[in-house]
């Protein structure tokens, strides 16, 4: 039986955790802080649980330098749940902003209150029908699923796929075309009405594609809300792996089970002006009458409700939160003033080692995505052009060296080495040694 130290695991999620966190978690699950109760047993509303939550927020704020005008939410339902939550919440924000504007305009007339309400509704109904758009940049399997969920909830006519990589890349993911080819909904400044939000997946786990930087076309254009693109980013698989300017985003979310912790916790970072009282949730009766599919959404996915209740509206899995909090605390301790930039240096170094050896042997290894968009987190490649026998031989040889979790996603096949934060440099070096030995027949 191999020990934990002997195994090098490159699974895409659930992913490896730092061994000290796993060991401390084992003790805390049995008896937390000598309380006689395990972390899976204590009340989510207890002082101990509240302390865990507060410390996790503080450490995440430190790591990402999160401004005061953002709220950190700990939720459930994973990244896939956020596909729905984003639509529920930000379409409601779009409706409420339009409702307020319509009410302000129509109230200036001499119409009576009942007439104002009806005229506001009629204007909103027309604007929903003619102007509501949700922009999606589809660069891989997860952003595709997100766009499909949006279409399922509100209807395909409201979803604008501003970028469909498959159409530009011969039916396959693996690149990100130039921004001037994207068909984003024009803002007011650009002669249009703007979209409810623009959505992209920062790192595509299945396809090995990562945005190398924040898209210039999504940069803020001015102070007017009508000229703003509310940017939503799924960072589930590269969260806390590099420095991020949180101010550029309306919402950032990530499932925990790759770089942060164990399955069961989702983190959402939401700009406060998208929450009450600055932008109230439109009345449920109004949303029902407007008949926008999927709205209002489930209360457990409602950002306003979760924020108001300090992430404790329903039972938060405190053990899972504690694991994530310990990972964050250890990063703060390890990198100090460097914050997440310290982890970024390590992630970049490990990725370079792996890609360099593959590029050294192009007759053996083919990296699937274009070099310009290679993911630092998920290295997707084929062996001998995808030869079935050779790839089985590669996996068998890897298993003998206790290099595990290298099989690609079932939807695309091939190989995938997930290079998450908890993969030690020495394990990446073991993989590089095997890649070299396999290529040279050793």
């Amino acid at each position: 039986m191999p020990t934990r130290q002997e195994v090098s695991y490159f699974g895409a999620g659930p992913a490896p955790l730092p061994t000290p966190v796993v060991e401390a978690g084992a003790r805390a699950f049995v008896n937390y802080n000598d309380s006689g109760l395990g972390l899976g047993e204590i009340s989510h509303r207890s002082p101990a649980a509240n302390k865990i939550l507060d410390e996790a927020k503080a450490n995440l704020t430190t790591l990402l330098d999160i401004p005061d005008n953002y709220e950190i939410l700990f939720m459930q339902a994973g990244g896939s749940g956020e596909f729905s939550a984003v639509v529920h919440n930000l379409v409601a924000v779009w409706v409420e902003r339009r409702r307020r504007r319509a009410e302000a305009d129509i109230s200036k007339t001499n119409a009576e209150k009942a007439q104002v309400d009806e005229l506001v509704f009629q204007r909103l109904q027309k604007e929903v029908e003619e102007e509501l758009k949700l922009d999606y940049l589809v660069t891989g399997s997860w952003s595709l699923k997100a766009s499909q969920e949006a279409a399922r909830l509100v209807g395909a006519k409201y979803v604008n796929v501003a970028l469909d990589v498959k159409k530009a890349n011969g039916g396959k993911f693996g690149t990100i075309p130039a921004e001037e080819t994207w068909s984003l909904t024009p803002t007011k400044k650009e002669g249009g009405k703007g979209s409810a939000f623009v959505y992209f997946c920062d790192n595509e786990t299945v396809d090995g594609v990562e945005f190398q930087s924040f898209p210039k076309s999504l940069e803020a254009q001015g102070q007017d809300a009508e000229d703003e693109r509310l940017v939503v980013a799924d960072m589930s698989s590269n969260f806390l792996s590099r420095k991020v300017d949180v101010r550029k985003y309306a919402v950032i979310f990530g499932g925990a089970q790759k770089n942060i912790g164990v399955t069961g916790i989702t983190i959402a970072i939401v700009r406060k002006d998208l929450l009450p009282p600055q932008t109230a949730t439109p009345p449920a009766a109004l949303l029902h009458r407007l008949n926008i599919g999927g709205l209002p959404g489930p209360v457990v996915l409602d950002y306003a409700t979760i924020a108001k209740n300090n992430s404790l509206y329903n039972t938060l899995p405190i053990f899972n939160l504690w694991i994530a909090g310990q990972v964050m605390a250890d990063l703060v301790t390890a990198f100090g003033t460097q914050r997440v930039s310290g982890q970024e240096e390590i992630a970049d170094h490990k990725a370079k080692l792996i890609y360099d050896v593959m590029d050294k042997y192009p007759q053996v290894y083919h990296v699937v995505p274009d070099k310009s968009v290679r993911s630092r987190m998920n290295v997707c490649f084929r062996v001998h052009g995808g030869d079935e026998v050779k790839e089985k031989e590669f996996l068998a040889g890897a298993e003998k060296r206790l290099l595990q979790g290298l099989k690609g996603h079932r939807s695309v096949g091939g190989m995938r080495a997930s290079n998450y934060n908890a993969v030690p440099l020495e394990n990446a070096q073991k993989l590089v040694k095997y890649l070299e030995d396999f290529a040279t027949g050793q």
Side-chain angles (χ1 to χ4, degrees), residues 8-16 203-206 237 258-259 350 354 375-381 404-408 415-424 427-428 431:
S8 300
Y9 185 60
F10 299 93
N203 183 77
E204 291 281 2
T205 320
V206 173
S237 53
K258 301 179 189 300
N259 266 343
K350 290 189 296 176
I354 296 168
S375 168
R376 300 162 306 121
M377 297 288 102
N378 307 103
V379 181
C380 296
F381 62 102
Q404 299 179 1
L406 291 169
K407 190 173 182 179
M415 307 293 133
R416 175 174 56 178
S418 292
N419 181 38
Y420 296 132
N421 288 355
V423 173
N427 288 9
L431 174 60

Side-chain angles (χ1 to χ4, degrees), residues 240-255:
L240 296 184
S241 73
R242 66 180 180 189
K243 186 175 175 59
V244 171
D245 186 351
V246 174
R247 286 169 286 269
K248 294 179 184 290
Y249 302 86
V251 178
I252 294 171
F253 72 81

Side-chain angles (χ1 to χ4, degrees), residues 67-72 250 270-279:
D68 290 340
N69 63 323
Y70 282 78
E71 188 75 49
I72 298 171
V270 182
R271 211 172 68 197
K272 288 181 179 177
D273 67 329
L274 303 175
L275 302 170
Q278 291 165 285
T279 298

Side-chain angles (χ1 to χ4, degrees), residues 50-246:
N50 275 272
K51 186 171 185 291
I52 290 168
L53 194 154
D54 291 343
E55 289 176 350
K57 280 188 177 183
N59 285 320
L60 184 56
T61 299
T62 297
L63 287 168
L64 291 182
D65 193 20
I66 299 174
D68 290 340
N69 63 323
Y70 282 78
E71 188 75 49
I72 298 171
L73 308 178
F74 295 104
M75 303 175 67
Q76 297 173 61
S80 295
E82 290 300 307
F83 297 169
S84 307
V86 163
V87 176
H88 296 320
N89 288 279
L90 295 192
V91 172
V93 167
W94 185 93
V95 169
E96 179 60 13
R97 285 179 170 180
R98 296 299 185 101
R99 186 195 69 78
R100 290 185 181 188
R101 195 179 308 143
E103 188 174 68
D105 290 345
I106 294 168
S107 293
K108 294 175 183 177
T109 68
N110 294 322
E112 295 182 1
K113 178 69 169 65
Q115 290 177 307
V116 169
D117 291 345
E118 184 57 30
L119 289 171
V120 166
F121 170 76
Q122 290 174 8
R123 176 165 147 178
L124 271 177
Q125 191 175 46
K126 186 174 187 292
E127 289 181 352
V128 166
E129 184 65 24
E130 297 178 0
E131 299 173 14
L132 176 61
K133 289 295 177 186
L134 287 56
D135 287 351
Y136 280 80
L137 305 179
V138 177
T139 57
S141 300
W142 292 113
S143 50
L144 175 60
K145 287 179 183 291
S147 70
Q148 291 170 338
E149 174 65 358
R152 187 184 73 85
L153 289 174
V154 300
K157 71 177 182 177
Y158 298 120
V159 176
N160 171 43
V161 178
L163 168 63
D164 184 345
V165 167
K166 281 191 172 183
K167 288 184 178 179
N169 194 43
K172 295 181 179 180
F173 294 123
T175 187
I176 299 177
E179 292 186 38
E180 55 265 26
T181 67
W182 302 357
S183 57
L184 294 165
T185 301
T187 62
K188 182 181 178 182
K189 187 176 181 179
E190 297 166 336
K193 297 292 186 179
S195 60
F197 59 83
V198 183
Y199 183 109
F200 72 96
C201 180
D202 205 35
N203 183 77
E204 291 281 2
T205 320
V206 173
D207 306 284
V209 171
E210 185 174 26
F211 280 84
Q212 303 302 294
S213 59
F214 187 84
K216 291 182 179 179
S217 57
L218 304 186
E219 293 279 359
Q221 299 182 13
Q223 298 300 315
D224 191 333
E226 292 185 60
D227 287 332
E228 179 187 31
R229 287 192 166 102
L230 294 179
V231 179
V232 177
D234 174 358
M235 294 188 182
S236 293
S237 53
N238 64 353
F239 201 70
L240 296 184
S241 73
R242 66 180 180 189
K243 186 175 175 59
V244 171
D245 186 351
V246 174

Side-chain angles (χ1 to χ4, degrees), residues 324-345:
Q326 288 299 297
V327 170
M328 295 175 200
D330 287 354
L331 288 173
V332 170
T333 300
F335 299 116
T337 57
Q338 277 189 292
R339 301 179 182 178
V340 80
S341 295
Q343 181 61 51
E344 181 175 6
E345 290 179 9

Side-chain angles (χ1 to χ4, degrees), residues 12-39:
L17 285 163
T19 294
V21 172
V22 173
E23 292 172 342
R27 294 189 295 271
F29 195 72
V30 175
N31 189 351
Y32 178 63
N33 282 357
D34 295 323
S35 66
L37 291 174
L39 268 178

